Amino acid sequence: MMKRYANLDNVTSNKSFKDMRKWQKERRTKVKDLSVNIEQCQAKKVTEINENRSRTSYTWIGHSTFLFQLNGVNILTDPVWAKRMGFQSRLTEPGISLADLPEIDLVVISHGHYDHLDFPTLKKLKGNPHFLVPVGLKSLFIRKGYQKVTEMTWWESTEHKGMTVHFVPAQHWTRRSLTDMNTSHWGGWIFQTPKETFYFVGDTGYFSGFKQIAERLTIDTVFMPIGAYEPEWFMADAHISPEDSVKAFIDLGAKFFVPMHYGAYRLADDTGPEALDRLYREWEKRQLPREQLKVLLIGETVMGDV
């Protein structure tokens, strides 16, 4: 029998056919403005990131895909350049084309859902990257022809060229076929350099794990999902709302918040602009310093000092 993975606190994301029918019925009654999308950055630093091997930077490609440049290492998180996701066309183009990327050294995968793990994208990456994946996914990568693959369990760490990479819990689930429900795990990735610590959350609902992470690690910048939360009665176990994402940020005690997982694919009923509006309102409600919220345009790069 195949091993099945679970969440902390015994939270499950199992939904019945009846739940699905209820959601679809609700969806038909909603009117959404799909004409307004998240903007592209007009001053993309393609040349700078291709030449950079010394400065810390991060670039939002879109959805949950970021290019990190840390300690001279080029890292991609959940690389997905797919033009479609199921029956839905991509709403916004990736911030940087695959052809314009530098050679990639390291790829981390948060979980096996198709909007986070896209093998056609992986085949087109420049370089010969090493893949860090949740436990249970390595066998799939091997079958696809990838050899430089390390799978990790929650709270496990590995060293990579002067930085420590940690795999930490998330509250989610995964499936790529009718028979492989939760046969691999899910989680977030933390990149700890001598100067800064960056936490890529992956997909998650709000859960006790944020406080556990804060007890073990000091987070400088968190890359937090804010989209695919509506209807909340259906999505909350697996997708955090903008309001709860702010609560999680406070739990973590992080310095900066970079939102993600919105505006590229319509995975639920909310839109990208709605998610951002709710995030801004909650930020103001809690009277958090505006400079701690780093909302990026698609393709925007934040580059640190030399």
Side-chain angles (χ1 to χ4, degrees):
M1 181 178 292
M2 298 186 71
K3 180 176 175 60
R4 307 279 173 171
Y5 295 89
N7 285 308
L8 296 174
D9 306 321
N10 297 316
V11 173
T12 66
S13 296
N14 297 335
K15 295 295 185 291
S16 67
F17 181 72
K18 183 179 179 180
D19 291 331
M20 288 292 297
R21 289 291 299 274
K22 179 182 176 183
W23 174 24
Q24 294 307 312
K25 185 177 180 180
E26 281 186 12
R27 193 173 214 182
R28 289 193 291 270
T29 68
K30 297 177 181 178
V31 178
K32 297 285 185 173
D33 182 0
L34 302 179
S35 65
V36 180
N37 289 313
I38 306 303
E39 295 181 15
Q40 294 271 341
C41 178
Q42 298 303 310
K44 297 177 183 179
K45 298 181 179 180
V46 174
T47 300
E48 290 92 329
I49 63 176
N50 271 276
E51 295 176 350
N52 179 40
R53 281 289 184 175
S54 61
R55 299 172 67 182
T56 294
S57 82
Y58 55 86
T59 302
W60 190 34
I61 307 298
H63 198 52
S64 298
T65 306
F66 285 87
L67 169 66
F68 287 93
Q69 297 184 297
L70 307 174
N71 271 27
V73 180
N74 290 330
I75 307 166
L76 279 178
T77 64
D78 290 358
V80 177
W81 267 255
K83 294 182 180 299
R84 301 186 64 84
M85 196 54 56
F87 297 107
Q88 301 281 344
S89 296
R90 190 173 185 130
L91 298 171
T92 52
E93 289 296 313
I96 296 177
S97 71
L98 281 165
D100 287 337
L101 285 178
E103 290 193 354
I104 303 302
D105 304 299
L106 186 66
V107 172
V108 299
I109 303 294
S110 66
H111 65 293
H113 279 149
Y114 283 87
D115 60 314
H116 296 261
L117 174 55
D118 182 54
F119 282 104
T121 292
L122 301 187
K123 290 179 181 178
K124 297 175 184 177
L125 296 179
K126 297 177 184 177
N128 184 26
H130 192 111
F131 294 89
L132 299 182
V133 304
V135 62
L137 265 183
K138 182 175 181 177
S139 60
L140 175 60
F141 274 76
I142 297 298
R143 291 199 302 272
K144 294 284 187 179
Y146 297 93
Q147 300 299 319
K148 295 174 64 175
V149 184
T150 301
E151 63 179 14
M152 294 170 62
T153 59
W154 285 350
W155 304 119
E156 191 173 5
S157 302
T158 186
E159 299 296 318
H160 190 90
K161 296 184 178 180
M163 66 179 167
T164 306
V165 184
H166 307 265
F167 186 52
V168 295
Q171 182 172 287
H172 202 58
W173 64 287
T174 193
R175 168 186 269 171
R176 290 181 70 85
S177 72
L178 293 176
T179 60
D180 67 349
M181 178 81 165
N182 295 346
T183 56
S184 61
H185 222 168
W186 46 87
W189 295 96
I190 294 178
F191 309 106
Q192 189 175 27
T193 76
K195 293 183 178 180
E196 297 175 273
T197 301
F198 300 87
Y199 173 21
F200 170 73
V201 174
D203 260 11
T204 190
Y206 177 79
F207 75 131
S208 62
F210 290 117
K211 291 181 179 178
Q212 294 183 32
I213 291 165
E215 290 171 357
R216 296 175 180 234
L217 294 159
T218 299
I219 307 299
D220 290 299
T221 304
V222 58
F223 299 79
M224 179 76 72
I226 65 167
Y229 56 82
E230 184 184 333
E232 292 182 49
W233 66 264
F234 189 94
M235 294 291 182
D237 290 335
H239 287 146
I240 197 167
S241 68
E243 291 80 10
D244 279 347
S245 73
V246 177
K247 184 178 178 182
F249 171 75
I250 294 170
D251 286 349
L252 290 165
K255 296 177 183 177
F256 301 105
F257 179 122
V258 180
M260 66 173 189
H261 199 265
Y262 68 101
Y265 301 106
R266 192 158 190 249
L267 303 174
D269 292 349
D270 52 286
T271 69
E274 284 177 338
L276 268 185
D277 286 345
R278 284 178 57 164
L279 175 63
Y280 282 129
R281 287 200 301 269
E282 185 66 14
W283 204 265
E284 292 175 1
K285 177 182 175 181
R286 290 181 175 266
Q287 299 182 325
L288 295 171
R290 183 63 183 83
E291 61 271 15
Q292 289 186 279
L293 181 58
K294 305 289 187 181
V295 177
L296 303 185
L297 299 174
I298 297 173
E300 185 174 356
T301 298
V302 174
M303 192 165 283
D305 297 331
V306 176

